[in-house]
Structure formats: structure tokens, C-alpha cells
Amino acid sequence: MSRIRAVSEATLRRAVDILDSGGVVAVPTETYYGLAADPFNQDAVESLYHIKQRSRDLPILLLIDGPEQLPLVVSSVPAVYKRLMTRFWPGPLTLVCPAQPAICPQLTGGTGTVGVRHSPHPVANRVLQLYGRPITATSANLSGMVPAVTAEEVDRFFADRIDLIIDGGGTPGGKGSTLVGMHGLQLCCLREGQIAFSQIQQFLSPSTFASVDVMKRPTTDTH
């Protein structure tokens, strides 16, 4: 039986109940459909890795309802990130930060860091507002496959292995979010996505942020 439900306030509140109980919900984002679970619930996170057939050494990123939720999931925020948030959030920019010990350690893939972004998608944001805390947002796909861009594609991937699919229409697909991290004092491009790293470099010009070096590093699999 299909778990697809049209967007409605009742569906969104049902999603919150599922997250509260340790379940998994598919939600549309500005890139692909993502799989949402409670990042503080060990069983929920373990279920997420199992459903995706994802290696435990690969991290899973999080969505937050704005910068005020960062202290819930990260232990520190580099000053340069605060500048980037003013320009690129909400949007497809994932910032990799030191993780709070309170989140499930599996989410870091053994790195001690976690990727976080603020999505501009209204459905994802409404779920976050109703839930009141961060959620996971790993792409809705079996590991190594092209992520789902429609609710029907999510259903074909997972069928009854997830609890709810919120049908918010098609998502853009193509490139995912751009991931950036810090290597010492250097800002690194871990994966170039919808935001070109050159845009970030231009924004952080020497006259704007002289204390931060910028460099590009090899792409990392963080779906």
C-alpha cells in the first residue's frame, strides 16, 4: 500500500507524530526528496541507514529551521559561516561543523562533524516548524542510486519501508546542495552543487573577509 499523502496540515502533523515515534518520513526539499528522522534517536538513525543500505562510515546531513537551532546540533560555528548564512540561507548550502555530542554519532560517519542547512522549501520548513527541532535530510534513494525527485520515485525505492511520503510535487533534482567545510583556517569546497563555489569565493573576497583562505578540495560522497 502506497504511503504517499498530499500536502495538508493533517499530513504534516501526522509526519510530526511519526518523527516523534522514531519513524521515517520522506519530504520534498529544494534539491531532492529527503528522508527525515529524529537525529537524537539512535534507533531512528539506525533504521535510516538500514533503509538506504548506506555504509555506516558515510555521514548524514541535517535540516534546521534557521540559525537559532544550530546550537542543538553543532558545538561551534566558524565566523565565516555566519557571513555565508546571511547570503546563502535559506538555500542549498550545507555547512559542515563540529557535531554536538547529543546527536547520534552515526550521523557524523566517524568524522565528529555534521553537515547542516536551512532549506527554503515550504513543506520541509513547515515540518521543521511543527516538529520544533532539527531533522535528517539524507537524499531519498538507495545508496549509490540517483535520488528521487518525486513522491512516486520515493515510493518505488522504499514502498512500505518508510512510514509516510509527503507529496509536495516535483523537486529540481540535478545537483545537490553545495557542501563547505573548514580545513584549519581555510574554507573548503567538499562538494560543488547548486551554488557554484566561485560565487562563495566572490562573496568572501579579500575586502570582505580577509582572514579566511578559500580553497577547493576533492568531492566527498555525502548523499
Side-chain angles (χ1 to χ4, degrees):
M1 178 180 174
S2 173
R3 305 298 174 97
I4 300 174
R5 297 292 181 271
V7 176
S8 68
E9 196 68 7
T11 296
L12 297 176
R13 292 188 182 278
R14 172 64 180 147
V16 169
D17 290 341
I18 290 169
L19 293 170
D20 269 333
S21 65
V24 177
V25 177
V27 298
T29 77
E30 77 279 17
T31 55
Y32 305 103
Y33 272 73
L35 297 182
D38 180 357
F40 303 98
N41 183 321
Q42 185 94 15
D43 291 338
V45 171
E46 182 61 32
S47 176
L48 198 57
Y49 274 92
H50 178 73
I51 289 167
K52 278 181 62 85
Q53 301 174 19
R54 185 172 177 81
S55 171
R56 299 308 194 269
D57 61 358
L58 295 177
I60 285 178
L61 65 84
L62 306 179
L63 291 185
I64 59 173
D65 185 28
E68 64 279 358
Q69 286 192 341
L70 279 169
L72 298 175
V73 293
V74 308
S75 59
S76 63
V77 180
V80 65
Y81 284 5
K82 297 175 184 179
R83 293 280 301 174
L84 295 177
M85 290 176 215
T86 66
R87 171 65 177 83
F88 298 105
W89 275 15
L93 177 66
T94 297
L95 303 175
V96 178
C97 303
Q100 276 283 14
I103 69 169
C104 294
Q106 296 103 307
L107 292 173
T108 75
T111 65
T113 62
V114 65
V116 185
R117 84 174 189 272
H118 181 195
S119 173
H121 197 286
V123 175
N125 273 334
R126 185 59 179 152
V127 171
L128 283 160
Q129 289 164 8
L130 291 172
Y131 192 50
R133 53 190 187 273
I135 58 175
T136 66
T138 183
S139 53
N141 61 306
L142 297 176
S143 190
M145 300 186 72
V146 176
V149 296
T150 66
E152 291 75 18
E153 288 182 3
V154 178
D155 195 40
R156 286 196 289 272
F157 271 130
F158 302 112
D160 60 356
R161 284 174 288 170
I162 62 176
D163 302 289
L164 177 67
I165 302 167
I166 303 175
D167 187 356
T171 58
K175 293 183 177 181
S177 65
T178 296
L179 273 74
V180 300
M182 298 298 295
H183 183 70
L185 293 178
Q186 291 184 311
L187 184 72
C188 311
C189 181
L190 304 177
R191 180 185 72 195
E192 185 158 290
Q194 289 190 13
I195 300 172
F197 194 55
S198 59
Q199 287 183 253
I200 295 171
Q201 291 174 306
Q202 185 175 13
F203 178 69
L204 297 175
S205 63
S207 61
T208 304
F209 221 89
S211 63
V212 175
D213 294 321
V214 181
M215 70 176 183
K216 196 165 184 178
R217 291 174 66 84
T219 300
T220 301
D221 176 9
T222 52
H223 276 324

